[in-house]
Amino acid sequence: MTHFPIFQDSLRLNTFKKGELPLFITHYPVRSSYPNHHHEFVEISLVTEGQGTEIVNGAEHRLKPGSICLLLPYHLHALKLDEGKPLHKFCCMFDMNVLFQSDFAEVGRWLVKLSDDTAPFYDLPAGPFEALRSVLFALEAEYGSESPGKAGFMRIKLLEAIYLYFRNHPGFAAFDPPAASRPGEWDIVKYVNTHFLDESISLEEVAARFGVSVFAVRGAFKRLLGKNFLEYLHLLRVRRATSLLTATDMSVAEIAYDVGFSSLRSFTRVFKEATGVSATDYRKRHNER
């Protein structure tokens, strides 16, 4: 029987009232392991006590106090606890659109550049760990309050947490500086990042949705990301496919349709062009490690 990753949908955008900041945060003891799953929100987590193992897109990371992870929508992730030992962590989930507001524009661009070549998890040194833990405690306290200006204060604390994540990331220094953009261009990039699994997405559909020409969309992707629209769409889909190949027992055909391809033949061609090997060989090589 094929095991598909779980779509964790207990927290959805329609959970929030109009005008309410789409953010949820809790600091809690994890008492049992959980299987591969994904959700529509961005998630930042910080371990404060205990140990365990986190698996993101098939890559394992040993957890300890100070372990931090930033997960994008549709990232596959699971957690294994050490036997009989609970793990305490912060879990903060929020709508990706929040990071593309004007005051979050810089980190929104960094988030788009966070790829499979830059691990989403790492271990914070003692000083930054204490700083980030303090920020998340303040964010959690505000989340549970009814104070005036609550949404604005939470935005500030979330921004602070995200900056601390990127500033201390071992690979952050290698990030290319963001290219200059024209109004609305990063909204287009963000839309593709959150809708790349839709089979109907196309250059023409995106252009029509944003009321611009197909030439404007092409130019935005080439200038901001150094790739044309189709190259970038295929990159996102192949990244998703590699995580499904390494973390599930779904068939190649099931994966092809899951990541938005209308035919197995198209998926097979695009996957081999992007990785240099077939999907079957990719899975085999990973399983042999």
Side-chain angles (χ1 to χ4, degrees):
M1 179 179 177
T2 302
H3 295 284
F4 291 85
I6 299 167
F7 176 63
Q8 199 279 331
D9 62 353
S10 59
L11 182 66
R12 299 186 66 85
L13 286 177
N14 60 17
T15 323
F16 299 93
K17 299 175 184 176
K18 187 176 181 180
E20 187 178 10
L21 185 68
L23 180 149
F24 168 82
I25 183 169
T26 184
H27 183 227
Y28 70 109
V30 183
R31 301 189 183 281
S32 60
S33 303
Y34 49 74
N36 261 321
H37 67 287
H38 61 95
H39 38 68
E40 63 180 340
F41 278 65
V42 178
E43 177 184 338
I44 184 167
S45 63
L46 176 69
V47 176
T48 56
E49 294 180 48
Q51 295 184 332
T53 302
E54 185 170 39
I55 304 97
V56 181
N57 288 349
E60 293 192 357
H61 177 231
R62 187 66 184 160
L63 298 175
K64 63 181 183 179
S67 294
I68 185 171
C69 187
L70 182 62
L71 297 166
L72 305 182
Y74 307 113
H75 255 142
L76 294 180
H77 52 287
L79 187 144
K80 296 178 184 177
L81 291 183
D82 291 354
E83 189 173 352
K85 296 179 181 179
L87 177 146
H88 293 249
K89 73 169 186 172
F90 275 104
C91 175
C92 179
M93 301 175 70
F94 53 93
D95 179 19
M96 190 171 184
N97 285 303
V98 173
L99 295 183
F100 288 85
Q101 309 278 337
S102 58
D103 52 347
F104 280 76
E106 188 174 35
V107 291
R109 296 168 189 175
W110 293 339
L111 201 69
V112 167
K113 290 179 178 291
L114 193 65
S115 70
D116 292 339
D117 295 326
T118 306
F121 45 68
Y122 66 96
D123 298 323
L124 284 162
F129 170 43
E130 290 301 326
L132 185 58
R133 183 166 62 171
S134 176
V135 168
L136 293 176
F137 270 124
L139 180 57
E140 183 191 32
E142 193 69 18
Y143 176 78
S145 78
E146 295 299 331
S147 303
K150 172 181 175 178
F153 185 90
M154 288 197 299
R155 282 181 186 274
I156 292 169
K157 288 300 173 183
L158 176 60
L159 180 58
E160 190 175 353
I162 297 296
Y163 264 98
L164 285 169
Y165 168 85
F166 278 110
R167 178 175 288 181
N168 291 283
H169 194 295
F172 181 60
F175 275 36
D176 295 328
S181 64
R182 297 169 185 170
E185 286 187 334
W186 280 107
D187 289 335
I188 294 173
V189 173
K190 180 264 298 182
Y191 177 81
V192 174
N193 270 265
T194 53
H195 291 82
F196 68 91
L197 296 179
D198 298 348
E199 187 179 324
S200 61
I201 195 171
S202 67
L203 179 63
E204 293 74 17
E205 185 266 333
V206 172
R209 176 173 292 274
F210 286 90
V212 298
S213 69
V214 294
F215 301 103
V217 175
R218 283 176 181 156
F221 277 88
K222 200 68 177 177
R223 184 172 53 261
L224 299 177
L225 301 171
K227 302 180 185 299
N228 66 41
F229 174 85
L230 196 57
E231 285 176 332
Y232 190 67
L233 178 63
H234 285 168
L235 172 65
L236 294 174
R237 288 176 169 177
V238 168
R239 284 180 185 166
R240 164 75 172 174
T242 57
S243 68
L244 291 171
L245 286 165
T246 57
T248 77
D249 62 353
M250 293 169 65
S251 70
V252 172
E254 289 169 335
I255 291 171
Y257 295 115
D258 179 273
V259 301
F261 283 90
S262 58
S263 75
L264 177 59
R265 183 177 180 179
S266 295
F267 169 76
T268 301
R269 174 180 55 80
V270 169
F271 189 92
K272 189 163 187 177
E273 286 175 356
T275 65
V277 296
S278 69
T280 301
D281 286 342
Y282 185 95
R283 170 175 273 165
K284 188 182 300 182
R285 290 181 184 183
H286 184 274
N287 291 340
E288 288 173 352
R289 291 177 186 173

